[in-house]
Amino acid sequence: MVRRLRYFLYRLYERFYEWRLGIFSDTEIFLDTYGVTDAACHQYIATSYIRFRQLMKLIDIRPGEDVFLDFGSGMGRAVVLAATYPFRKIIGVELIPELNERAVKNVQRALPRLRCRDIELHNVDARSFRVPPEVTVIYFWNPFSKHVLADVFGNIRQSVIESPRTVTIIFLSPPGVTSVDEIKDGLPWLAERRRFDLGPKSVAVIYTCEGDERKVRS
Ligand SMILES: C[S@@+](CC[C@H](N)C(=O)[O-])C[C@H]1O[C@@H](n2cnc3c(N)ncnc32)[C@H](O)[C@@H]1O
């Protein structure tokens, strides 16, 4: 009974924020609906509103400086929510054209309520996206498995080598061994800073990645 009431309140909260922002992102879609059969690319399911607010409390945002990138941005919920914080710019990268088109519409509709209005949405496979030198915060809500992730982390590494800076990575995942844990031994330049249990369904891990190897080990 308590569980059902809690779930009801959670759903109410989700619907309320969809309505308030004027967006539609509250659905689950398997990628084979769009002809993608690569099991390494995970389904669409938005970050919950409550969860995203929890995640933003885990990092220090430098107002007007930090640039946020969501890998696997789907219908753009995390992009829109990030834009309610004082980021300088927000970037989304999404494989499926239909989801990205919906993200474009969602951003347009939410725009009057957003703090950051410099938003770019790219319809491209994350593996072939060059991480721009301005990006300082990267978000993943479990968008793909370890094989894709290894390539994407390689691109992040390349970006910090070319433009040395600290990049903070927020990795949200179902609990247990995450896709990053599975490849972590091959990423000695990636420093795990903190790991948070967010209830029975999720874990959030904060990593940093530096252009300067000496800082990684400190
Ligand atoms: C769990 S959803 C996250 C949605 C969004 N980040 C959010 O938090 O609301 C994962 C998304 O990753 C996308 N995705 C999967 N494989 C991808 C790839 N190789 N390149 C870019 N996006 C991908 C899926 O289409 C899906 O929209």
Side-chain angles (χ1 to χ4, degrees), residues 81-93:
L81 285 178
T84 63
Y85 290 82
F87 288 107
R88 177 163 68 76
K89 182 172 178 177
I90 317 277
I91 301 171
V93 174

Side-chain angles (χ1 to χ4, degrees), residues 25 31 40-48 52 70-79 93-96 99 124-127 139-144 148:
S25 59
L31 299 196
C41 300
H42 295 165
Q43 71 184 95
Y44 170 75
I45 176 166
T47 307
S48 86
F52 195 83
D70 180 15
F71 269 118
S73 42
M75 293 187 173
R77 184 187 293 183
V79 165
V93 174
E94 171 56 45
L95 178 68
I96 307 293
L99 297 183
V124 63
D125 190 315
R127 284 167 279 203
Y139 177 53
F140 295 89
W141 164 210
N142 195 36
F144 17 75
V148 179

Side-chain angles (χ1 to χ4, degrees), residues 102-170:
R102 169 53 65 181
V104 170
K105 285 188 191 136
N106 282 338
V107 166
Q108 282 165 353
R109 296 190 58 155
L111 212 56
R113 295 173 194 84
L114 303 183
R115 248 167 123 168
C116 169
R117 295 183 180 171
D118 188 355
I119 300 175
E120 273 177 20
L121 294 168
H122 298 266
N123 176 212
V124 63
D125 190 315
R127 284 167 279 203
S128 48
F129 184 76
R130 267 178 72 106
V131 178
E134 59 191 344
V135 169
T136 49
V137 177
I138 300 183
Y139 177 53
F140 295 89
W141 164 210
N142 195 36
F144 17 75
S145 69
K146 60 181 178 179
H147 302 294
V148 179
L149 207 53
D151 288 349
V152 172
F153 272 94
N155 295 341
I156 296 171
R157 174 66 175 148
Q158 191 57 36
S159 177
V160 294
I161 288 172
E162 286 168 9
S163 304
R165 65 196 186 280
T166 302
V167 171
T168 299
I169 297 171
I170 307 165

Side-chain angles (χ1 to χ4, degrees), residues 6 10 14 16 51 66 99 102 109 122 126 136 162 180 188 191 204:
R6 215 181 272 156
Y10 160 76
E14 293 284 294
F16 171 73
R51 188 68 78 228
D66 280 317
L99 297 183
R102 169 53 65 181
R109 296 190 58 155
H122 298 266
T136 49
E162 286 168 9
V180 183

Side-chain angles (χ1 to χ4, degrees), residues 183-191 213 216-217:
I183 56 170
K184 182 73 179 63
D185 287 348
L187 309 171
W189 46 269
L190 188 69
E213 294 266 354
V216 176
R217 291 190 204 100

